[in-house]
Amino acid sequence: MKQHFQIINDPRFRLVYNEHRLFGTGPAPRKIRLNREGFTMVPGVKKKTMVYPGMLLAEHPSLEKGDLHAPMYGVITEINARSVFVEAVDPQEQAPGTFPDPLEPVNLLKDGLEGEELVLAVKKMGVNTRSLGRRIRTLIVNGLNPEPGIRWAEPMLVEHAAEIRAGLELQRRFGRAEEIMLAVPTGCNVQFEGVRTVHVDPMYPNSVNELMIKEVTGMEAPPDVAAVGLHNVWSLGRTALTGLPLMETVITMGTAREWANYVVKNGSIVGELLEFTHISLKSGDTILRGGPLRGESLDRLDRSITKGSYGFFVVNAGEVPPIEGDSPCINCGACIQICPTRIDPRMLSRYAEFGRYDMSRKENFRLCIDCGLCGYVCIARRPVLQYIRLAVKKLEQEERLSQLTPIEPVSKA
Ligand code: SF4
Ligand code: SF4
């Protein structure tokens, strides 16, 4: 992979802010929307079911994906193919017996569970894990802010040290790696017992896992090294400390001028978060779930903060030139020059634009690490990253379908 710092020496790409503001608590939701794509609803959970904090709503077939739990008292108002909607209710106003007693905490750290048994227990508590399915030499916990504008990593390492310590202990007990390292920005002095701290130049895109691994090991894609985000370690630790299923996520929320870090309920609705932060939308503003560089723009105020989301931003009209879906490529080559994995974002985006997803295979679409730099430098303001994500999604869907066993034709004899 290329070295970027000759190309990007822009202070806006620095991933440290030297600020340690306290984490706020997000609003008590009036309504939530939980993503259920790929999940199977638990039998009996349907429209009008009364739900309580930590109640299991749906399970995911993958060991890596945490199951889905209700993060509050409420009633299910709708279930469709993509989402479960819940409206809050006050448990004090319900008839006695409407809800069971609060869940008994489960102490994951004292149960003596280890290895894949512990991974399964954690999945059942709603946490996404990265079950590597093989032993590796080194697991690197990526302690950098994931992208410019996201600011929770530095304060999390200090203020939420208990969660990080517990999350690291669970990672150790998963038993996947001989050694766990914590990669933090150069100059950061945090230490956690039993974990070697390594320092990385905090310039984007070093926070992308693949590049972080290269920074730490000096090797491209070494087979016995993997990385996991600090956000995920926090989720593990949160579950370990509360003993309850994961019901929250940490996000940086705001605009380019005003922002704060919050712990918010999974499924919090965008419209309610805007109200909570007193951000009023103006014509032409863009709402992003994720960060300013790689975030996904949302078209409706009833979209929500999904599990694992790390940011929520409003980009005010005029701050950056808008992306134009039908803007033609002018062949300037800037995206090719900046791409850290040496693929051709120009051609990949064109193939996706014209529905030639099959051609993306020739361009090694799998090497894309979703860093977003191609879209950032595109002077034609093409949605380069979005086109590439579309191609990746379509090709993965195609591959999943081709792996399904064909149904035998029914004999008419
Ligand atoms: S997002 Fe763009 S620049 Fe980044 S790896 Fe993918 S194609 Fe290359
Ligand atoms: S940066 Fe934009 S305009 Fe330039 S080659 Fe890439 S896609 Fe085309």
Side-chain angles (χ1 to χ4, degrees), residues 329-335 346 349 377-380 382 384:
C329 171
I330 57 164
N331 256 329
C332 69
C335 57
R346 174 197 54 168
S349 67
V377 297
C378 178
I379 55 168
R382 285 170 56 73
V384 189

Side-chain angles (χ1 to χ4, degrees), residues 160-171:
H160 287 213
E163 280 87 347
I164 300 304
R165 200 171 293 113
L168 289 169
E169 176 58 19
L170 285 181
Q171 279 291 354

Side-chain angles (χ1 to χ4, degrees), residues 225-368:
V225 181
V228 63
L230 187 68
H231 201 269
N232 188 249
V233 173
W234 179 88
S235 299
L236 284 171
R238 179 79 167 187
T239 308
L241 293 188
T242 61
L244 296 172
L246 184 65
M247 293 182 258
E248 301 94 4
T249 186
V250 169
I251 57 172
T252 301
M253 183 156 67
T255 64
R257 284 169 302 284
E258 288 180 65
W259 59 271
N261 295 316
Y262 291 95
V263 178
V264 300
K265 295 284 185 199
N266 288 333
S268 293
I269 300 277
V270 162
E272 289 187 23
L273 293 178
L274 289 173
E275 207 179 292
F276 176 75
T277 48
H278 306 292
I279 298 174
S280 44
L281 284 182
K282 292 174 207 65
S283 170
D285 289 352
T286 308
I287 306 170
L288 294 174
R289 177 169 55 201
L293 193 64
R294 301 160 84 187
E296 169 197 6
S297 77
L298 302 177
D299 53 349
R300 290 169 43 168
L301 293 184
D302 70 347
R303 302 282 185 222
S304 62
I305 295 302
T306 48
K307 196 188 290 184
S309 299
Y310 57 67
F312 170 64
F313 280 84
V314 173
V315 179
N316 294 130
E319 268 175 12
V320 288
I323 295 279
E324 302 288 349
D326 53 2
S327 171
C329 171
I330 57 164
N331 256 329
C332 69
C335 57
I336 304 171
Q337 199 190 4
I338 204 163
C339 175
T341 59
R342 301 186 289 264
I343 54 178
D344 186 340
R346 174 197 54 168
M347 292 310 293
L348 274 172
S349 67
R350 283 190 197 169
Y351 291 142
E353 183 178 8
F354 297 108
R356 296 299 313 269
Y357 306 113
D358 52 320
M359 299 291 282
S360 305
R361 287 207 173 84
K362 288 190 182 159
E363 300 293 342
N364 284 325
F365 75 99
R366 275 181 218 286
L367 293 181
C368 173

Side-chain angles (χ1 to χ4, degrees), residues 118-175:
L118 180 59
V119 172
L120 181 63
V122 161
K123 168 208 166 44
K124 286 183 180 295
M125 296 285 266
V127 187
N128 296 337
T129 62
R130 190 149 166 248
S131 183
L132 302 168
R134 64 191 162 90
R135 292 274 303 170
I136 50 167
R137 183 170 50 83
T138 307
L139 181 70
I140 303 172
V141 174
N142 184 343
L144 262 60
N145 281 306
E147 61 177 284
I150 301 294
R151 298 168 184 245
W152 43 252
E154 290 164 276
M156 182 183 275
L157 286 164
V158 179
E159 220 184 286
H160 287 213
E163 280 87 347
I164 300 304
R165 200 171 293 113
L168 289 169
E169 176 58 19
L170 285 181
Q171 279 291 354
R172 193 188 64 72
R173 293 188 191 191
F174 289 161

Side-chain angles (χ1 to χ4, degrees), residues 378-397:
C378 178
I379 55 168
R381 302 304 295 148
R382 285 170 56 73
V384 189
L385 177 63
Q386 289 74 9
Y387 277 137
I388 295 172
R389 282 178 178 166
L390 178 66
V392 170
K393 195 170 167 193
K394 293 279 181 192
L395 288 166
E396 284 177 354
Q397 267 171 3

